[in-house]
């Protein structure tokens, strides 16, 4: 049975496909995503407060490498099998090498409902995964071309909403510790699943609006949107095992690897690679991969993690 | 009533261009601008404003004819190929001509 | 003593009449109504999960018939006593044959505060009552005229915000059951009265802005706006008794019958009967009936239900 | 700067007309439109945008003169009697004439 | 298509003036107005709309030339010195001339 | 260590200074301030319900006099030491003679976290302090000039958002009492610190945008923005002691005196003294005094209150 938050997504998709007169105000969507980003950041920060940061360094390096690797893999597939142009291939690849915070939130809710524990500092990896894919994507098209305005780009990426709020939340949680955070936690943690439900309702409406452009871009994108996350999840799960993560942590890392960005990367690509068609990457990321991950993917990735961690494994 | 003739340039473009566009306008010498959030449809499809980056902005600049031409030329050069954007210009009458251009009259 | 949520409404009305510099953002109003609609739907859905749906069929039919009957009654009164034109009479009648979700929410809060239990699947009746009045209202003016674009209308009505969210909530609640809903319930149920308070504050501001047009349209509308809900409540209460509802359920059904729409019906009438003056119906519905129901009406309807259910009754 | 003369049609109407209106514009042949949320006052009273259906929308269409006339005629025919709506038109200069009409120049 | 020529007056001003401004417009005889929320930059700096009072409003009035002059004169007199405000006017064509002025044609 | 809510403010300031792509929707900011104002009003109202109002009259008079005195003090300093023109001096002075609800909320959170009790009817003083400074500021420039449109001004001030919501909350809380308020309290009180955190995040972004204009207006404003609150706090604390307030109450009154308005007074000054430069007063109030008060000021004012109340004091 699907978690209720996922049913909210389904409701949004259905309403969108039926062209129902349902439109959440843009301000509400912005606020919901602010709440999710801060909640996730705070949660991770509280946990980070309890352990020496440098012990995480190997994991951070490993996860960043995963982001680079997945982007290259996706680029190769899109160029060779999909016959996409360089810009389009690089832009889509950057989406898939990066992460989706919404998918992460659903994974957290799913593991929670199944009482599977995981390393609570995972939000750190969300931050770590945001950036490398973007850099690789740009390099794939521009090389180390002088013309690229790296300063402007770094600003756009590192100071985009997602990273600022995730990192801000991490730092505030880390500096305050669980006791001091508790009173603000009523809003951020207590309402987490409700906020997520509303967010997914809106995501459903948005996803539905992407299906139209999907029809134009055919089967390859559809296949890619399902197979790429599976490949990503496999890489992520193996890396998780190798880094010594718990079953839950492995499943989360697999989910992060499987997820594709629809906030930070699209914004960066519009500026860095404007010649790439933004419709393609959004349709794949929002119209296929996001729905796939939150309905079928996450349970699968947990099973994957459990199988890898099986006693005789 | 003593009016001065100026040009009103209206630009509709995808919202992600906001900061770049406004920076360009200032650099080219506009004395001001007015921005509203918008949605719409054009050659690059529906822009729905469901979330802010998915929407458009509508920017108005009142300036003299020369600057209007310079801005239009710059935007065509820099943004037309790859971004959702339209631009139209018309004559308007203002009270304080000096407010909208370098030269005063 | 009035419930605090009703005092928020009074605050809104007073602020509006004094032309205070108080304006809630439209986005907030939209979000508050989304939250109320989903909360009400979810609550009903959870309850529906516990009983075979077909046992409710007779009640559903009875309630739908109530909607039709009330619309016809209101139409007759408006035509004969009020001397309204066909379009205006039909449009106003459709408002009164339908329901107001805000009024329903206040009734739920009121019964809760007085610990009167009621059939929790009532939200189903809210959905059932939304539609028939609209259809009857249109038929009264257009007959079975070929010109009416029923397709477009059906879309507008059945896929309007209220029905989609109520029905969506019902289905999600029904599919998930109470245990799975609990985590999202912190937002939807835990904050229900607070959200309702804010919603009513805004409704008060809106109601106050209707009083101006009331002055122009005179005493008849005022009388209609008070007497029609009383008549409706009586019908609803009797039907409730007859359908075997509890005291609380009877009071709720009476309230639903007494309430008049200000979201779904106005939208439908603008499309189906544009020649009807929208100011008239909104002024009556929002400026008179809504305030009357939530302050005086609901306690009265509970008393009515208790009287009907009295031991020797 | 080489401009092409087109018509800018601005429509202010009650928000509940949005989808019907935009459908009509497309059907009549407009290549695009831009929508902003608005409030206002006119013969049909104050439209306050306190909640979305109570507000107005402001729609702009850039097109050639013929289509502007056709749209104006259609809106007058279909909506003027029963809906809050105004419409005004003016000349504007655009860079890419072909973007705003069927014929190209 | 039979159009009537009117004036379109567009005012951009700080949001805190909204009620005073609209009151003035009505008093001077405007038959209506349309308001949208805006942000912008001018001589008095950036007006960002981060919170509502910090933003601008953009007000449009369609009226005859005389009234347009009267409104412009009044605004210059009453607000120009101390408030963030600009104003520009242009000709527009409307279908129902009587809707936008006291005299009918 | 700073309270987490203050860290949210710091996050906002940093993000603003780095020109991060972070902008909370205006609608969210409006709603957050509505929530804070209502919560503060309700809290005070509940407490007022438990005591005869007339016993507070002496305190009300004393607090109002404080507002007048602080405005005059600030005006003198700005004219003599700062060499500001009359209008600018009067306008800035009115900001500092009035209060900031955001600062009050942080003080409440701070005392709560340090379990220092205070008179819960303090919100009444917030209301009392809003108005006198505005009147004095205008009188300082216009005298009893006939031209001043006092009617319009009274409307603007007394019916501005802050007073309507604070007073409305007070009255609803007072009329309902704690038991009836409890169900709406889940939203207003339960989420208070979370809402405050988000509000301060936005305030940080706004404060950062003020720093630019500060640079132009130099050192005097900087010094004034720090020293005036200290002087105000001293006056407030002494008055608190003299009125017989508890340690907590004294600290809160000191904070109110130290705080400077950025909502009600700016709006009133735009209408009453348009020739005053609004950038000056906002830069000082939002760019210096607000950050100073919530980080350094409040702990200091509590220490001040404790010192005044020391056993041998
Ligand atoms: N003919 C038109 N009239 C008015 N607005 C237009 C028109 N064409 C495009 N737009 C606006 O400009 C934006 C970008 O246009 P485009 O680059 O054609 O996709 C659209 O989203 C519309 O808001
Ligand atoms: N003279 C006018 N100038 C500008 N906008 C107007 C004018 N008259 C009406 N409007 C706008 O058009 C909408 C509908 O007008 P009406 O049909 O006259 O009620 C109003 O709510 C205003 O937003
Ligand atoms: N040249 C301009 N073009 C377009 N809008 C302007 C221009 N100058 C000023 N504005 C708008 O008018 C507002 C007030 O202008 P000002 O009084 O110059 O600060 C600004 O915030 C802008 O929104
Ligand atoms: Na990924
Ligand atoms: Na009814
Ligand atoms: Na003060």
């Amino acid at each position: 049975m699907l978690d209720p938050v996922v049913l909210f997504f389904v409701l949004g998709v259905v309403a969108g496909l039926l062209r129902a007169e349902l439109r959440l105000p843009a301000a509400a969507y912005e606020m919901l995503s602010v709440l999710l980003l801060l909640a996730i950041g705070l949660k991770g920060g509280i946990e980070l407060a309890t352990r020496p940061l440098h012990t995480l360094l190997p994991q951070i390096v490993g996860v960043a490498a995963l982001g680079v690797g997945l982007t290259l893999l996706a680029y190769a597939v899109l160029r060779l099998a999909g016959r996409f142009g360089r810009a389009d291939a690089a832009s889509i690849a950057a989406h898939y090498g990066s992460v989706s915070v919404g998918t992460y939130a659903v994974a957290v809710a799913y593991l929670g409902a199944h009482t599977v524990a995981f390393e609570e500092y995972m939000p750190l990896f969300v931050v770590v995964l945001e950036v490398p894919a973007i850099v690789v994507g740009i390099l794939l098209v521009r090389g180390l071309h002088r013309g690229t305005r790296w300063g402007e780009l770094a600003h756009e990426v590192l100071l985009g909403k997602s990273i600022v709020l995730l990192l801000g939340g991490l730092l505030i949680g880390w500096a305050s510790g669980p006791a001091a955070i508790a009173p603000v936690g009523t809003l951020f943690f207590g309402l987490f699943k409700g906020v997520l439900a509303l967010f997914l309702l809106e995501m459903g409406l948005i996803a539905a609006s992407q299906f139209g452009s999907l029809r134009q871009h055919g089967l390859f994108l559809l296949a890619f949107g399902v197979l790429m996350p599976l490949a990503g999840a496999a890489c992520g799960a193996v890396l998780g095992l190798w880094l010594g993560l718990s079953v839950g942590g492995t499943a989360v890392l697999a989910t992060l690897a499987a997820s594709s960005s629809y906030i930070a990367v699209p914004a960066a690509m519009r500026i860095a690679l404007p010649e790439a068609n933004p419709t393609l990457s959004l349709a794949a990321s929002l119209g296929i991969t996001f729905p796939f991950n939150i309905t079928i993917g996450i349970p699968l990735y947990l099973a994957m993690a459990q199988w890898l961690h099986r006693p005789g494994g | 009533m003593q009016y001065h003739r100026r040009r009103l340039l209206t630009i509709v473009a995808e919202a992600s261009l906001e900061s770049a566009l406004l920076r360009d306008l200032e650099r080219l010498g506009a004395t001001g601008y007015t921005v509203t959030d918008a949605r719409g449809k054009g050659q690059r499809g529906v822009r729905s404003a469901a979330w802010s980056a998915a929407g458009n902005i509508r920017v108005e600049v009142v300036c003299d004819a020369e600057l209007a031409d310079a801005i239009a030329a710059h935007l065509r050069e820099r943004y037309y190929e790859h971004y959702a954007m339209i631009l139209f210009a018309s004559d308007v009458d203002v009270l304080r001509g000096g407010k909208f251009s370098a030269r005063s009259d």
Side-chain angles (χ1 to χ4, degrees), chain A, chain B:
Chain A
M1 188 55 230
L2 292 176
D3 191 280
V5 297
V6 178
L7 292 178
F8 277 87
F9 179 78
V10 174
L11 174 58
V13 169
V14 172
L17 290 180
L18 294 174
R19 304 185 155 277
E21 201 63 60
L22 182 62
R23 204 161 50 174
L24 300 201
Y29 176 80
E30 300 285 335
M31 255 345 255
L32 292 170
S33 68
V34 166
L35 282 172
L36 287 182
L37 288 163
L38 284 173
I40 290 171
L42 287 170
K43 198 89 183 177
I46 293 174
E47 184 62 22
L48 281 183
T50 69
R51 65 177 60 235
L53 250 178
H54 64 89
T55 61
L56 293 175
L57 217 68
Q59 304 199 0
I60 291 177
V61 172
V63 167
L66 176 67
V68 173
L70 288 176
T71 312
L72 294 173
L73 171 64
Y75 182 74
V77 172
L78 289 159
R79 287 288 279 165
L80 302 178
R83 307 193 161 281
F84 281 95
R86 283 178 73 153
D88 281 334
S91 166
I92 303 177
H95 284 70
Y96 281 83
S98 182
V99 284
S100 142
V101 173
T103 312
Y104 173 78
V106 176
V108 168
Y110 184 82
L111 294 184
H114 291 72
T115 57
V116 177
F118 61 94
E119 287 75 5
E120 295 273 5
Y121 56 78
M122 281 286 156
L124 184 64
F125 296 167
V126 180
V127 176
V128 170
L129 275 170
E130 289 259 6
V131 181
I134 297 176
V135 177
V136 173
I138 299 172
L139 285 177
L140 283 169
V141 178
R142 300 265 185 273
L144 292 169
H145 187 51
R146 249 168 263 257
T148 309
R149 297 190 266 178
W150 288 103
E152 193 184 320
L153 260 170
H155 184 275
E156 178 72 21
V157 173
L158 296 176
L159 294 171
K161 191 175 69 171
S162 355
I163 291 200
V164 168
L165 290 176
L166 279 174
L167 215 55
L170 273 170
L171 288 173
I172 293 177
W174 176 78
S176 307
I181 288 292
V184 303
T186 325
L187 172 59
F188 291 109
F189 307 145
L191 302 186
F192 186 76
K193 278 196 89 168
V195 167
L196 181 58
L198 290 173
F199 178 80
L200 290 175
L201 176 62
E202 174 72 17
M203 288 301 296
L205 290 166
I206 295 176
S209 71
Q210 302 296 328
F211 293 161
S213 32
L214 266 180
R215 249 187 319 238
Q216 297 159 31
H217 297 291
L219 274 180
F220 179 81
L221 220 51
L222 191 84
F224 180 82
V226 169
L227 296 178
M228 184 65 213
L230 289 177
C235 301
V238 168
L239 178 67
L241 187 70
W242 192 68
L243 290 174
L245 296 180
S246 67
V247 171
T250 305
V252 171
L253 189 55
T255 304
L256 288 177
S259 75
S260 61
S261 171
Y262 47 81
I263 298 181
V265 179
M269 290 300 123
R270 277 322 273 152
I271 295 199
L273 300 179
E275 67 269 38
N277 181 351
T279 316
L280 287 177
S281 37
L282 260 162
S285 184
L286 269 180
I288 304 171
T289 303
F290 183 78
F292 173 75
N293 274 332
I294 68 168
T295 52
I296 303 174
I298 292 173
L300 211 66
Y301 309 151
L302 175 57
M304 219 183 244
Q306 284 164 335
W307 184 81
L308 282 173
H309 281 265
R310 73 191 179 284
Chain B
M1 213 69 196
Q2 164 75 29
Y3 289 106
H4 304 275
R5 177 100 345 154
R6 289 288 174 277
R7 289 290 271 180
L8 166 67
L9 211 65
T10 304
I11 304 152
V12 180
E14 51 181 293
S16 61
L17 286 181
E18 177 159 350
S19 42
L21 204 59
L22 300 183
R23 223 167 26 228
D24 288 357
L25 292 179
E26 287 192 64
R27 202 169 36 72
L28 292 168
T31 61
Y33 50 76
T34 297
V35 184
T36 48
D37 292 317
R39 50 192 182 276
K41 182 166 181 175
Q43 276 168 351
R44 288 177 189 262
V46 175
R47 301 199 55 81
S48 69
W51 80 102
S52 60
N56 286 330
I57 50 168
R58 182 182 181 280
V59 183
E60 287 173 311
V61 186
V62 179
C63 57
D64 57 33
E66 267 160 84
L67 181 55
D69 281 357
I71 294 174
H74 172 78
L75 297 186
R76 177 168 59 179
E77 168 71 23
R78 176 122 175 59
Y79 298 107
Y80 269 28
E81 193 182 351
H82 295 309
Y83 293 97
M85 177 181 285
I86 67 164
L87 175 159
F88 49 86
S90 63
D91 288 339
V92 292
D93 298 321
V94 302
L95 290 179
R96 296 170 293 183
K99 199 167 161 52
F100 303 103
S101 50
R103 69 189 158 89
S104 63
D105 42 5

